[in-house]
């Protein structure tokens, strides 16, 4: 079992995510129980006290594919704000829930075409609402 | 490097996916080059000749989480048909492109909350357009 530090979550995101989870059936969201467990043990901070290098809701994250060096950006959003463009990722989508609370420098592996793993590194938080002073976004 | 067999793709899905990729900028889709490479070497069949246990576009797939035994369903869709519900997954989303051409019994790992890997097995193709005789869907 991989050991990971607790994720850091803002109190506002926590409140909204708990309301979302309460309204979402398990069959609609693989890993609902796992996200609830992460939130239960998260390091919760006031929005103004969030570290600036952590992925929060509505943050735009720049990733880099380890193999190709290709970089791309995705914004972690609530389901109501998701589209299919690939530039916004819902917290209820596979991988989406993995991003919350990760930090610049963290690497995750997700399955790519043909089921082959893609190693993907977080290289920057391009936009973070809390850092931008948007504490109620 | 993991060795995987070529994916099986219908000629109709292939045509539509190539048009989609031509219209999608690389920064909007991590793994665009990887999907193109998979399509280039795919085993292409007429829609009527698709094996019934393979994930095609608009197929509804039943998964099971290895750890919890929890099962859930997702439908692999084109971006225009995606929503943020978690029940439809865009071919341009992380993990989405991994599903195309996989078979019942295949297992993939995707990152879950806190970045912890979730092992997820395809246990059934609940609906496959080709199997249902919807050869132009």
């Amino acid at each position: 079992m991989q050991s990971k530090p607790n994720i850091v979550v803002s109190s506002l995101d926590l409140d909204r995510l708990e309301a979302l989870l309460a309204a979402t059936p398990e069959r609609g969201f693989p890993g609902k129980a796992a996200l609830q467990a992460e939130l239960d043990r998260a390091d919760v901070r006031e929005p103004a006290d969030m570290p600036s290098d952590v992925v929060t809701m509505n943050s735009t994250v720049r990733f880099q594919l380890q193999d190709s060096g290709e970089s791309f950006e995705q914004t972690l959003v609530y389901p109501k704000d998701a589209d299919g463009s690939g530039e916004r990722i819902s917290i209820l989508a596979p991988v989406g829930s993995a991003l919350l609370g990760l930090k610049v420098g963290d690497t995750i592996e997700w399955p790519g075409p043909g089921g082959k793993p893609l190693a993907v590194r977080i290289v920057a938080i391009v936009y973070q609402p809390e850092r931008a002073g948007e504490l109620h976004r």
Side-chain angles (χ1 to χ4, degrees), chain A:
Chain A
M1 197 66 189
Q2 204 168 341
S3 170
K4 296 261 187 189
N6 291 357
I7 62 172
V8 183
V9 177
S10 87
S11 55
L12 182 67
D13 285 351
L14 182 66
D15 288 349
R16 289 175 175 169
L17 289 169
E18 293 202 320
L20 175 67
L21 288 179
T24 303
E26 273 199 20
R27 61 176 176 73
F29 173 40
K32 179 182 173 178
L35 180 54
Q36 188 64 64
E38 281 298 310
L39 293 177
D40 287 347
R41 69 180 167 208
D43 176 4
V44 181
R45 310 269 182 99
E46 290 305 305
D49 298 332
M50 284 299 288
S52 63
D53 65 343
V54 163
V55 182
T56 65
M57 291 305 299
N58 295 306
S59 286
T60 299
V61 181
R62 185 176 300 139
F63 300 92
Q64 191 169 37
L65 295 183
Q66 191 171 284
D67 277 359
S68 67
E70 183 191 339
S71 75
F72 58 97
E73 295 180 8
Q74 286 190 328
T75 301
L76 180 64
V77 299
Y78 290 97
K80 67 179 174 57
D81 299 320
D83 53 23
S85 70
E87 295 181 14
R88 292 172 169 210
I89 186 166
S90 163
I91 183 77
L92 298 191
V95 178
S97 57
L99 298 179
L100 186 76
L102 294 191
K103 290 193 309 294
V104 171
D106 284 345
T107 297
I108 56 177
E109 275 205 346
W110 71 51
K116 298 176 181 75
L118 290 175
V120 176
R121 196 161 70 91
I122 296 181
V123 293
I125 311 293
V126 178
Y127 168 78
Q128 188 210 51
E130 293 80 5
R131 193 177 66 203
E134 300 185 41
L135 303 180
H136 304 285
R137 173 140 185 212

